[in-house]
Amino acid sequence: MIRFTTAGESHGQALVAILEGIPAGLQITAEDVNSELRRRMSGYGRGARMNIESDAVEFLAGIRAGETLGSPIALLVRNLDWENWSAIMAPEPLGRGTRKRKVTRPRPGHADLVGVLKYDRSDARDILERASARETAARVACGAVCRRLLAEFGIEIGSHVVQLGTVVATRPGQLPTPLNAAADQSAVRCLDDAAAQLMVAGIDAAIRDKDTLGGVAEVVLRGLVVGLGSHVSWDRKLDGRLAGAMMSIPAVKGVEIGLGFEGAGRSGSRAHDEIAWGGNARTGGFVRKSNRAGGLEGGISTGEPVVLRLAMKPISTLRRPLGTVNLTTGKAGRAQSERSDVTAVPAMGVIAEAMAALVLAQAMVEKFGGDSLSEMRSNYDAYVQGLGARWSAAHGGGE
Ligand code: EPS
């Protein structure tokens, strides 16, 4: 089972992660991870913090001579901002209850208040430092390793922004390949140039208004084999597992697969994908005439692209803050304003790619197992060959 856990506060010394279950023999370099970390840091509308950081990974364990060993992989991403925060975030005791740069006016929408109540804190900084989306840098680092594993099996993961604030992009009928090479050209990772310009203007307006913006990103997973995930038990369904992973991303409030909510209003005859003969061995020789299901039926991959959309709420740190209650005085007031982003929708797409990579890598290792990449590859090849041989023999390889 592939899994990872992360630790680290936003202004602590570093983010760390341990990623377990990656088979031995996968070639990986720091640059494979760093290129993804850079993508996460980019996007018009990020705050000043991204000018301070220059996220880069240090492999502490699990990799030798450019190859995974099959042992847990330990990763470290330093916070360069730590230098400015060491006195505030240092682990050494300061005297009971003493805190520097206390946050006592919780922001509506952030974890501040619920975290303070649940963890019996009086300083919301004890909560927000971990609730900060800074943690997603560690996820992206782990996801980059999973992505390398998936690339060995021809799986491509990409994303693009389809809505930012009120601006909705026109989605091209045919997505470019590779998707990210095109999307990363845009400051807001949007494939519709006219919409991208309006999105940038919308972000500028939000900056002027001291407000923030949310939006929608679409994640596309291509090159999957039929048969990942399973219909047999609720917790093995790949759609459920992907949706859960997407919803764990900070500020994500909605996830759709394929037609998603739009499908609810369609009649059945316009909601499903007709089956035809003529795909490749990876899909058992079958093909769908459309992909309304978003590449998943019965919790199992069909081999068509998996298409997910994630809705992100606007960032909850506002420079013109909403009403709140001061935790120290009990008086009504305005929420604390921390430095933050105006929007992070472009970055959210990159983080969603990383989480999707984790779930897919889990599903691949479950199905094709193996302590080593070579063992996993031979299991994969045997499965695909078996699918192709069985179904083309039965149907003569064509319609
Ligand atoms: C983030 C770092 C944070 C924020 C943002 C994400 O840095 P700082 O708090 O020092 O400005 O820019 O976090 C939030 C939006 C949030 O609400 O916590 C990052 O590295 O992605």
Side-chain angles (χ1 to χ4, degrees):
M1 172 70 166
I2 296 183
R3 57 186 178 165
F4 69 71
T5 189
T6 75
E9 278 72 45
S10 180
H11 304 102
Q13 282 194 55
L15 300 162
V16 294
I18 293 183
L19 171 63
E20 267 189 272
I22 299 291
L26 177 71
Q27 292 187 355
I28 182 107
T29 65
E31 184 49 26
D32 291 326
V33 176
N34 292 343
S35 54
E36 293 302 315
L37 291 174
R38 281 196 295 274
R39 291 182 63 234
R40 193 201 72 95
M41 292 184 72
S42 68
Y44 196 72
R46 298 304 301 275
R49 176 73 183 273
M50 292 301 101
N51 303 330
I52 298 171
E53 300 300 336
S54 176
D55 291 345
V57 75
E58 292 169 45
F59 293 132
L60 302 183
I63 296 170
R64 181 169 179 236
E67 279 191 12
T68 56
L69 303 176
S71 53
I73 298 171
L75 308 152
L76 179 114
V77 178
R78 291 182 198 278
N79 291 324
L80 301 184
D81 209 11
W82 162 251
E83 209 178 292
N84 307 315
W85 286 79
S86 51
I88 299 150
M89 293 300 295
E92 289 75 27
L94 290 176
R96 202 175 148 67
T98 308
R99 290 287 189 281
K100 291 179 177 163
R101 276 198 74 161
K102 263 181 119 166
V103 175
T104 54
R105 288 169 290 132
R107 292 160 293 175
H110 215 282
D112 299 350
L113 178 60
V114 284
V116 160
L117 296 176
K118 178 174 166 66
Y119 286 89
D120 190 21
R121 306 280 83 199
S122 54
D123 178 3
R125 181 164 302 287
D126 288 355
I127 304 302
L128 71 89
E129 285 288 337
R130 180 63 183 159
S132 165
R134 177 87 194 130
E135 183 264 346
T136 61
R139 299 201 207 185
V140 167
C142 293
V145 180
C146 296
R147 185 191 279 267
R148 268 291 302 121
L149 176 65
L150 297 171
E152 292 290 325
F153 298 91
I155 297 174
E156 182 218 328
I157 302 181
S159 71
H160 61 121
V161 170
V162 294
Q163 182 179 347
L164 207 151
T166 55
V167 182
V168 179
T170 305
R171 188 185 184 277
Q174 191 81 37
L175 288 174
T177 313
L179 177 52
N180 284 340
D184 288 347
Q185 300 293 313
S186 156
V188 283
R189 308 202 62 255
C190 177
L191 298 172
D192 173 346
D193 289 340
Q197 280 183 24
L198 293 173
M199 289 173 183
V200 168
I203 295 167
D204 288 338
I207 294 171
R208 281 195 300 275
D209 295 346
K210 302 188 164 137
D211 219 326
T212 59
L213 295 172
V216 179
E218 183 173 84
V219 181
V220 183
L221 321 170
R222 291 187 282 207
L224 271 65
V225 70
V226 64
L228 299 178
S230 177
H231 66 291
V232 299
S233 289
W234 71 270
D235 54 351
R236 292 182 57 193
K237 288 178 177 265
L238 195 60
D239 41 11
R241 291 161 63 181
L242 281 166
M246 298 299 118
M247 288 296 287
S248 77
I249 298 169
V252 169
K253 284 295 201 183
V255 182
E256 290 185 324
I257 298 177
L259 281 184
F261 278 70
E262 194 202 319
R266 290 200 181 192
S267 54
S269 57
R270 294 182 55 246
H272 300 288
D273 307 305
E274 287 191 310
I275 299 168
W277 183 247
N280 58 30
R282 191 168 53 72
T283 59
F286 297 92
V287 72
R288 308 294 155 130
K289 292 185 178 173
S290 52
N291 188 23
R292 294 157 172 166
L296 291 155
E297 284 178 345
I300 302 177
S301 60
T302 62
E304 300 291 332
V306 168
V307 183
L308 307 155
R309 272 180 304 279
L310 295 82
M312 184 187 201
K313 68 181 180 180
I315 282 173
S316 50
T317 307
L318 303 176
R319 283 194 299 132
R320 202 196 321 240
L322 295 174
T324 192
V325 173
N326 187 314
L327 297 176
T328 314
T329 64
K331 292 213 169 81
R334 295 277 139 194
Q336 205 137 325
S337 195
E338 290 267 302
R339 171 187 62 194
S340 187
D341 305 321
V342 175
T343 190
V345 177
M348 187 261 291
V350 176
I351 298 156
E353 291 174 33
M355 292 307 291
L358 168 74
V359 174
L360 270 195
Q362 285 172 337
M364 285 287 287
V365 166
E366 273 162 29
K367 178 129 183 68
F368 303 112
D371 297 314
S372 67
L373 181 61
S374 54
E375 187 181 0
M376 195 172 161
R377 188 174 283 131
S378 64
N379 291 339
Y380 177 92
D381 289 344
Y383 173 70
V384 171
Q385 273 160 24
L387 274 176
R390 175 171 172 202
W391 293 102
S392 43
H395 298 281
E399 224 156 1

